[in-house]
């Protein structure tokens, strides 16, 4: 028998899945979270659910918020099940499900007065964000906030009718400032180096366009702690929904599947207080940067490295890519020879052991993570996950054979067909111009490196240009399998 997930049916769910040991009446809101996607519900919401289950800090419940059409879809599905989520954790040797109840409401996307009123409430002491790497209005080449972006310019002209996340946050801060309410802490949970600083630049930068004095007040009074977050969380589809029905008897409109592993490293800068997240495994450290570099370069960079050869070889799942000896060996050689050597030391961490953990996580057959998810949004991910390692090696005078091959694989993928001739469907906001450049690059590789907003100064390196051109030419002439083998044989740079 299948049970429709809701507060009223939790007792029926308990037979096959864990449920909260607290009631909705026990909770009060302390956090507004923008971007209630799968990662947030598998990460921040799970940590809070664990804390509430310990009987701790139940005045830090989450209220969801958003600005995108997808946020409205998520809100409607979650509202119909009292904002509960079934989280299915899948390890190589264990699978289990539990229902989380850390979210108590989800504001209507587009209802600016309601969102601003909630942000202005003294009960809200943290505003958190999971809006993906592309949501911060960063110029990819320079890595800094882009005040000329049309959406930012529009919010600067109309600060009382904001349409972006940062415009809404500013409206909430302005209301608090006018009423003498201390500002909330703004906490990014996205995979961006220095995500607190990046968020600060976006919030303050937008304010400065219309009210420099307000921007100065933000700089002096609002905290933006940096943080590193990690948990592999694939997209939810009919497969995942069906598994929750068949294995656990739960009718959940949007369950979350994730690996068992999770990590969260945070700077402890929360002037208005915070939940005791250290009680449930969050690491509070003086400097997050070493952990960020490690995770973004090794894990996210690793995902970006295997996505495109796997797609070109028509591989669907990430664990299947890792089961392909050429891709597994390619990743290992790339990480050990080019990526790990330019990562600064991380406290109490052996980077090669960390890579072994990543390799095991990528190989997990139960997680169902897809190559298509890893391959999406490359115009935002390549400049953050791959090209910084390339730039670091070039600055040191080191070779970049493997990293150039990663960029060439991305270019070859963007030409639109796999090695077998299968058409590739792109998921990237810049797909049209990327596809056009990739097609031109078959005859002239410099056409792709001319995407200066992505490659920046890296494309000016003679060594990178030679390595990229040779790798791309080899991919077109010999195909992905043979090119990977040439690289593994140490002959791609010859």
């Amino acid at each position: 028998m299948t049970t429709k997930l809701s507060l009223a049916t939790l007792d029926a769910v308990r037979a096959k899945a864990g449920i909260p040991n607290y009631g909705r009446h026990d909770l009060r809101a302390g956090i507004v979270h923008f971007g209630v996607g799968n990662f947030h519900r598998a990460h921040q919401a799970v940590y809070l659910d664990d804390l509430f289950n310990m009987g701790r800090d139940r005045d830090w419940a989450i209220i969801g918020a958003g600005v995108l059409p997808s946020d409205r879809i998520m809100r409607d599905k979650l509202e119909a099940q009292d904002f509960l989520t079934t989280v299915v954790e899948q390890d190589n040797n264990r699978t289990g499900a539990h229902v989380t109840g850390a979210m108590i409401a989800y504001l209507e996307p587009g209802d600016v007065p309601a969102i601003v009123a909630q942000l202005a409430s003294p009960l809200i002491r943290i505003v958190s964000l999971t809006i993906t790497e592309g949501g911060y209005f960063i110029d990819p080449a320079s890595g800094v906030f882009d005040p000329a972006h049309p959406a930012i310019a529009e919010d600067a002209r109309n600060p009382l009718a904001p349409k972006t996340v940062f415009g809404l946050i500013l409206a909430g801060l302005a209301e608090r400032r006018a009423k003498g309410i201390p500002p909330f802490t703004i906490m990014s949970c996205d995979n961006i180096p220095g995500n607190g600083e990046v968020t600060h630049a976006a919030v303050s930068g937008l304010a400065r366009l219309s009210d420099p004095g307000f921007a100065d007040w933000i700089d002096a009074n609002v905290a933006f702690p940096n943080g590193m977050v990690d948990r592999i969380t694939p997209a939810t589809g009919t497969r995942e929904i069906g598994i929750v029905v068949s294995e656990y008897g739960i009718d959940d409109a949007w369950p979350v599947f994730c690996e068992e592993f999770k990590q969260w490293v945070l700077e402890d800068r929360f002037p208005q207080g915070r939940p005791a997240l250290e009680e449930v495994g969050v690491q509070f450290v003086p400097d997050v940067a070493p952990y960020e570099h490690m995770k973004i370069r090794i894990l996210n960079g690793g995902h970006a490295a295997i996505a495109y050869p796997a797609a070109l070889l028509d591989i669907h799942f990430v664990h299947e890519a890792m089961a392909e000896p050429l891709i597994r060996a390619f990743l290992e050689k790339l990480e050990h020879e080019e990526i790990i050597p330019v990562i600064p030391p991380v406290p109490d961490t052996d980077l090669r052991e960390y890579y072994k953990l990543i390799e095991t996580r990528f190989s997990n057959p139960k997680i169902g993570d897809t190559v298509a998810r890893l391959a999406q949004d490359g115009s935002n991910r390549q400049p953050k996950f791959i090209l910084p390692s390339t730039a670091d090696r070039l600055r040191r005078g080191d070779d970049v054979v493997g990293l150039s091959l990663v960029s060439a694989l991305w270019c070859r993928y963007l030409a639109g067909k796999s090695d077998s001739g299968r058409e590739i469907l792109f998921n990237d906001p810049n797909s049209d111009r990327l596809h056009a450049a990739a097609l031109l690059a078959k005859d002239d590789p410099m056409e792709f490196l001319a995407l200066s907003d992505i490659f920046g100064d890296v494309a000016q390196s003679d060594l990178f240009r030679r390595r990229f051109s040779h790798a791309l030419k080899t991919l077109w002439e010999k195909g992905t399998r043979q090119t990977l083998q040439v690289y593994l044989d140490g002959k791609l740079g010859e």
Side-chain angles (χ1 to χ4, degrees):
M1 186 178 77
T2 301
T3 302
K4 174 65 179 172
L5 183 61
S6 71
L7 289 172
T9 62
L10 282 177
D11 281 343
V13 168
R14 148 193 331 269
K16 290 191 175 181
I19 65 171
N21 67 12
Y22 52 88
R24 183 58 52 82
H25 61 277
D26 294 332
L27 302 181
R28 284 192 302 137
I31 300 172
V32 169
H33 181 82
F34 285 93
V36 184
N38 277 18
F39 183 78
H40 164 72
R41 294 185 298 142
H43 193 265
Q44 181 183 348
V46 168
Y47 278 104
L48 288 165
D49 183 72
D50 288 346
L51 193 62
F52 299 162
N53 278 322
M54 294 174 61
R56 296 292 305 272
D57 294 354
R58 291 177 177 174
D59 57 340
W60 286 102
I62 301 164
I63 292 178
V67 297
L68 301 174
S70 58
D71 294 321
R72 186 178 302 277
I73 295 169
M74 177 69 82
R75 180 191 180 277
D76 291 345
K77 290 183 182 295
L78 292 179
E79 184 181 40
Q81 55 196 48
D82 297 323
F83 308 108
L84 299 171
T85 290
T86 307
V87 178
V88 181
E89 295 180 347
Q90 298 186 303
D91 196 28
N92 287 308
N93 301 310
R94 190 193 75 85
T95 298
H98 66 283
V99 174
T100 63
M103 178 177 290
I104 61 173
Y106 196 144
L107 301 167
E108 181 74 30
D111 188 345
V112 172
I115 295 173
V116 173
Q118 191 64 69
L119 292 171
S121 167
L123 296 176
I124 300 303
R125 289 147 287 162
I126 294 174
V127 171
S128 54
L129 308 165
T130 308
I131 55 175
T132 77
E133 299 83 10
Y136 287 81
F137 303 100
I138 303 168
D139 177 75
S142 67
V144 300
F145 173 68
D146 179 10
H149 190 284
I152 291 297
E154 184 175 353
D155 267 12
R157 288 191 297 268
N158 303 286
L160 298 181
K163 294 182 179 179
T164 69
V165 167
F166 301 113
L168 288 165
I169 287 173
L170 283 178
L173 285 172
E175 188 82 8
R176 295 174 81 103
R177 183 188 184 202
K179 294 180 177 178
I181 302 168
F184 41 68
T185 295
I186 303 176
M187 177 179 71
S188 171
C189 299
D190 281 300
N191 285 317
I192 302 174
N195 57 12
E197 288 142 18
V198 169
T199 308
H200 184 178
V203 174
S204 179
L206 175 55
R208 200 164 294 281
L209 294 175
S210 57
D211 187 345
F214 187 27
D216 291 341
W217 179 85
I218 290 168
D219 294 343
N221 293 281
V222 181
F224 297 83
N226 291 305
M228 183 270 268
V229 296
D230 190 6
R231 190 171 221 185
I232 296 173
T233 309
T236 297
T238 54
R239 169 185 176 270
E240 288 72 26
I241 293 170
I243 289 173
V244 171
V245 170
S246 62
E247 297 293 324
Y248 303 103
I250 302 173
D251 178 5
D252 185 325
W254 210 323
V256 172
F257 280 57
C258 56
E259 62 179 335
E260 190 172 38
F261 176 91
K262 65 182 186 296
Q263 187 177 19
W264 195 0
V265 183
L266 266 175
E267 292 174 352
D268 200 355
R269 293 194 289 123
F270 294 83
Q272 306 310 314
R274 61 167 177 81
L277 292 166
E278 68 273 18
E279 298 291 333
V280 288
V282 176
Q283 297 169 259
F284 285 95
V285 299
D287 183 11
V288 172
Y291 301 89
E292 289 176 335
H293 278 99
M294 173 183 73
K295 189 259 179 175
I296 287 172
R297 302 286 185 94
I298 297 177
L299 185 144
N300 297 109
H303 268 161
I306 66 174
Y308 303 110
L312 289 167
L313 295 176
D314 299 323
I315 296 173
H316 182 71
F317 286 112
V318 176
H319 69 270
E320 293 172 338
M322 292 300 289
E324 165 55 59
L326 283 172
I327 293 178
R328 191 182 190 96
F330 162 59
L331 178 63
E332 182 175 15
K333 179 179 172 71
L334 175 74
E335 294 272 16
H336 287 312
E337 293 187 2
E338 296 192 22
I339 294 177
I340 291 175
V342 292
I343 297 175
V346 181
D348 303 316
T349 304
D350 182 320
L351 294 179
R352 291 181 178 268
E353 289 299 315
Y354 179 77
Y355 171 72
K356 288 182 182 177
L357 172 63
I358 297 303
E359 192 177 51
T360 300
R361 292 168 63 194
F362 285 7
S363 303
N364 184 346
K366 292 185 177 181
I367 196 65
D369 203 6
T370 64
V371 169
R373 185 186 78 85
L374 304 192
Q376 71 184 8
D377 204 20
S379 62
N380 280 304
R381 296 182 177 189
Q382 290 281 316
K384 296 177 179 68
F385 302 155
I386 293 295
L387 294 173
S389 293
T390 309
D392 283 352
R393 291 188 65 80
L394 291 171
R395 276 192 289 269
R396 289 172 27 155
D398 294 335
D399 212 335
V400 288
V401 177
L403 287 163
S404 299
L405 175 56
V406 174
S407 295
L409 283 161
W410 181 43
C411 178
R412 170 64 187 84
Y413 161 89
L414 287 166
K417 290 187 178 179
S418 71
D419 284 9
S420 71
R422 180 185 62 85
E423 186 174 352
I424 294 172
L425 299 177
F426 306 126
N427 185 353
D428 191 297
N430 297 296
S431 59
D432 289 345
R433 68 186 181 97
L434 292 171
H435 178 53
L439 291 175
L440 292 171
K442 184 177 181 181
D443 296 320
D444 180 4
M446 294 306 103
E447 291 285 349
F448 196 67
L449 298 189
L451 298 167
S452 58
D453 60 319
I454 292 171
F455 287 98
D457 292 342
V458 167
Q460 304 309 311
S461 162
D462 289 339
L463 176 60
F464 177 73
R465 290 158 75 97
R466 292 200 313 273
R467 294 289 187 241
F468 173 84
S469 298
H470 182 61
L472 185 60
K473 182 174 184 240
T474 306
L475 284 166
W476 278 113
E477 291 179 351
K478 298 185 175 182
T480 302
R481 285 188 178 279
Q482 196 168 344
T483 302
L484 291 177
Q485 189 61 63
V486 171
Y487 168 70
L488 292 171
D489 291 342
K491 297 180 179 179
L492 188 60
E494 296 180 357

